[in-house]
Amino acid sequence: MNNNNTTLQKILDEGLHLIQKHGYNGFSYANIAESIGIKKASIHYYFPTKQELVQAVLQRYNKDFLNDLAQIDQKFKDPVDKLKSFFQLYRSALDNSSKLCLCTMMAAEITSFPEEIRTDVNRFFHDNEKWIENVLLQKKSADSSVNPDRIADQSRLVLAIAQGAQLLGRSSGELEQYDSIVNHFLANL
Amino acid sequence: MNNNNTTLQKILDEGLHLIQKHGYNGFSYANIAESIGIKKASIHYYFPTKQELVQAVLQRYNKDFLNDLAQIDQKFKDPVDKLKSFFQLYRSALDNSSKLCLCTMMAAEITSFPEEIRTDVNRFFHDNEKWIENVLLQKKSADSSVNPDRIADQSRLVLAIAQGAQLLGRSSGELEQYDSIVNHFLANL
DNA sequence: GTCTATAAGATGATAGAC
DNA sequence: GTCTATCATCTTATAGAC
């Protein structure tokens, strides 16, 4: 049928969850093993090293996230609705077990990774920025208040807000902090 | 004369540096010992547990940071200049050895800490917000474009931008990313 | 105060039986 | 594929000599 319940998928799911919760340096093979009811050695069968595991988790996450953004494009026409959905996407990690975006967490721990993985983290941010730029360009067509020269900067600002608000919202344990920051920004857009 | 070069101070300095660079879960007593040329056991003399160490590092950092904000207040009268200096303060961590704000890093690792330490992290953010609110209130007096009801939200937005931009700037290794985000925000203020 | 020595446990990782 | 057993290393932490 589907392959969502294979050991491989369970390892990737639990690995993702643990990194989003506690960070790369904050989880171990033992944690995954206990959570999904297998032994540590079984994880090494799929991912000989921890870095290979985190890389697989990251690449799947990036692919899924880009897919989510593509679905937003399909679902909404209004660029402001798209932006709201973007912030909603970042909110969903927080809402679901107080997790951070995987790449927000990995950005904090960036010194722990080799260049290859750092590149994938930054690719995630770059892809986010490009998607936002497109949305802002659509907004520009409908609204002359957008300065065309500054769209790249505005796009990075949007991304920085999503990440900073997520970090503050989770630390305080108050989801409303995330909402108030995002809503304030959207209201003054 | 001064007590800036005591073993205690060296431990706090190096501890702060390592956490800002690699995170709480990314450094060990062995790292500090090697860096400042003492043995691990000597660190335990001052700080029996790692949590006592991080708490001391955090409390000193918070005090120093509040002091920096007070100095900005003394140095500048114009609220926009104060805001620029605030962002400059967050920039200085990045500029100096690619470090994150201690509390940005600790917010990412917040699940690793007991309630007592979480409170101190959130106090840092709260104090930042209060300081920014005051600056925005000064701006309001001079500029009717500030909505008085939304100052708390605007204040959190400013803080979220500083943190998000710092995270993005360090991850990419491009200080200009931090600058472009902050400058874009300030230009549209 | 700083050291040596050492404990007790966790960690990432491997070999080899089933 | 999954397990048991084991490894070398690192981790936080303590006891006790100097």
Side-chain angles (χ1 to χ4, degrees):
Chain A
M1 314 260 269
N2 67 50
N3 59 354
N4 273 354
N5 251 0
T6 63
T7 299
L8 178 65
Q9 294 299 319
K10 285 186 200 165
I11 293 170
L12 289 172
D13 289 344
E14 187 61 21
L16 172 61
H17 178 254
L18 287 171
I19 300 173
Q20 287 185 274
K21 262 275 200 197
H22 310 295
Y24 175 76
N25 292 320
F27 88 102
S28 72
Y29 273 41
N31 299 141
I32 295 184
E34 195 182 19
S35 287
I36 67 179
I38 57 173
K39 297 293 169 183
K40 284 193 301 172
S42 303
I43 305 174
H44 282 285
Y45 168 77
Y46 294 96
F47 303 102
T49 70
K50 200 182 180 187
Q51 289 203 341
E52 287 171 88
L53 168 58
V54 73
Q55 195 161 19
V57 166
L58 176 56
Q59 282 169 2
R60 192 187 64 155
Y61 181 85
N62 287 2
K63 198 190 71 193
D64 290 349
F65 202 93
L66 280 182
N67 199 47
D68 288 342
L69 293 181
Q71 285 196 303
I72 291 175
D73 278 328
Q74 285 196 333
K75 192 168 177 187
F76 298 101
K77 285 225 97 175
D78 178 13
V80 174
D81 285 339
K82 291 185 182 185
L83 271 189
K84 285 182 182 172
S85 293
F86 174 83
F87 283 117
Q88 191 64 34
L89 191 54
Y90 269 84
R91 187 187 195 277
S92 65
L94 213 54
D95 201 14
N96 177 22
S97 337
S98 286
K99 295 182 290 191
L100 290 184
C101 161
L102 177 69
C103 290
T104 306
M105 182 65 88
M106 291 184 70
E109 296 179 297
I110 199 75
T111 64
S112 298
F113 306 116
E115 197 53 42
E116 192 183 2
I117 292 179
R118 294 186 193 197
T119 300
D120 282 340
V121 172
N122 287 317
R123 193 194 327 279
F124 174 85
F125 294 139
H126 181 262
D127 290 343
N128 269 254
E129 286 167 16
K130 285 300 165 195
W131 184 88
I132 300 165
E133 274 185 38
N134 249 308
V135 172
L136 293 176
L137 279 169
Q138 292 163 37
K139 185 168 184 299
K140 177 201 153 203
S141 309
D143 175 2
S144 62
S145 79
V146 177
N147 182 338
D149 292 339
R150 298 294 182 188
I151 286 208
D153 293 345
Q154 171 94 5
S155 167
R156 274 190 187 141
L157 176 62
V158 168
L159 182 57
I161 290 169
Q163 284 173 59
Q166 204 184 50
L167 216 54
L168 286 176
R170 188 177 79 136
S171 182
S172 65
E174 297 173 13
L175 199 52
E176 311 84 48
Q177 287 209 12
Y178 179 85
D179 292 333
S180 68
I181 291 168
V182 167
N183 289 337
H184 180 81
F185 173 71
L186 288 173
N188 289 75
L189 199 59
Chain B
M1 311 262 271
N2 67 52
N3 57 353
N4 275 353
N5 251 359
T6 62
T7 299
L8 178 66
Q9 295 299 318
K10 284 187 200 163
I11 293 170
L12 289 172
D13 287 345
E14 188 60 21
L16 173 61
H17 178 255
L18 287 171
I19 300 174
Q20 289 185 273
K21 261 271 191 197
H22 310 296
Y24 175 76
N25 292 319
F27 88 100
S28 72
Y29 273 40
N31 298 140
I32 296 184
E34 194 182 21
S35 287
I36 67 179
I38 57 173
K39 298 293 168 180
K40 285 191 298 173
S42 301
I43 304 174
H44 282 283
Y45 168 78
Y46 294 97
F47 302 102
T49 70
K50 200 182 178 186
Q51 289 201 344
E52 286 170 270
L53 169 59
V54 73
Q55 194 161 20
V57 166
L58 176 56
Q59 282 170 2
R60 191 187 64 157
Y61 182 84
N62 287 2
K63 198 190 72 192
D64 290 348
F65 202 92
L66 279 183
N67 199 46
D68 287 343
L69 292 181
Q71 285 197 304
I72 291 176
D73 277 327
Q74 286 197 335
K75 192 168 177 187
F76 299 101
K77 286 225 97 176
D78 178 14
V80 174
D81 285 340
K82 291 185 183 186
L83 271 188
K84 285 183 182 171
S85 292
F86 175 83
F87 283 118
Q88 191 63 35
L89 192 53
Y90 270 84
R91 187 188 195 275
S92 65
L94 213 55
D95 201 16
N96 177 21
S97 339
S98 287
K99 295 182 291 192
L100 290 184
C101 162
L102 177 69
C103 289
T104 305
M105 181 65 89
M106 291 185 70
E109 298 180 296
I110 199 76
T111 65
S112 299
F113 306 115
E115 196 53 40
E116 193 183 0
I117 292 178
R118 293 185 194 198
T119 300
D120 281 342
V121 172
N122 287 316
R123 192 195 327 279
F124 173 85
F125 294 140
H126 181 263
D127 289 345
N128 269 253
E129 286 167 17
K130 285 300 165 194
W131 184 89
I132 300 165
E133 274 185 37
N134 249 309
V135 172
L136 293 176
L137 278 169
Q138 293 164 37
K139 186 171 183 297
K140 177 201 153 203
S141 310
D143 176 2
S144 61
S145 78
V146 177
N147 183 336
D149 293 338
R150 299 294 182 190
I151 286 209
D153 293 344
Q154 171 94 5
S155 167
R156 273 190 188 140
L157 176 62
V158 168
L159 182 57
I161 289 169
Q163 283 174 58
Q166 203 185 51
L167 217 52
L168 285 176
R170 189 178 79 139
S171 182
S172 66
E174 295 172 13
L175 200 51
E176 310 84 48
Q177 288 209 11
Y178 179 85
D179 292 333
S180 69
I181 291 168
V182 168
N183 289 338
H184 180 81
F185 173 71
L186 288 172
N188 289 75
L189 199 60

